[in-house]
Amino acid sequence: MFLPKYPDSPTPPPAHTHTPTEPTAPVRRSLPSVSIDQKTVAALVVGGVVLTALLAAVAVTAISVAVAAVVLRSMLRDHHRS
């Protein structure tokens, strides 16, 4: 029968040894140049306006639904009283 061979030392050696290195200057990565033309700016402005309009429409709809719910609740409560 085969038995596993155990190491002689009771503690295992560290898995990662930290070796200090000399501090070096950080590597500077250059970003690719992006050309921004008038069409790009116009598209961003139009997209921002459209998204703002959609957000305003959602807010107005939510307020309208809330007001309608309060009015209907009030009408139903008055109807049940009489």
Side-chain angles (χ1 to χ4, degrees):
M1 182 176 214
F2 296 105
L3 295 175
K5 187 173 182 181
Y6 294 106
D8 294 334
S9 64
T11 58
H16 174 71
T17 57
H18 180 69
T19 56
T21 59
E22 294 180 13
T24 59
V27 177
R28 197 159 204 209
R29 296 181 182 151
S30 63
L31 296 174
S33 62
V34 178
S35 62
I36 298 177
D37 57 350
Q38 290 180 352
K39 290 181 182 178
T40 305
V41 173
L44 286 175
V45 170
V46 169
V49 169
V50 169
L51 289 177
T52 303
L54 287 174
L55 182 62
V58 169
V60 168
T61 304
I63 292 170
S64 301
V65 169
V67 169
V70 169
V71 169
L72 284 174
R73 188 169 130 193
S74 174
M75 289 172 61
L76 287 174
R77 184 177 38 189
D78 290 342
H79 178 70
H80 286 294
R81 284 185 184 172
S82 55

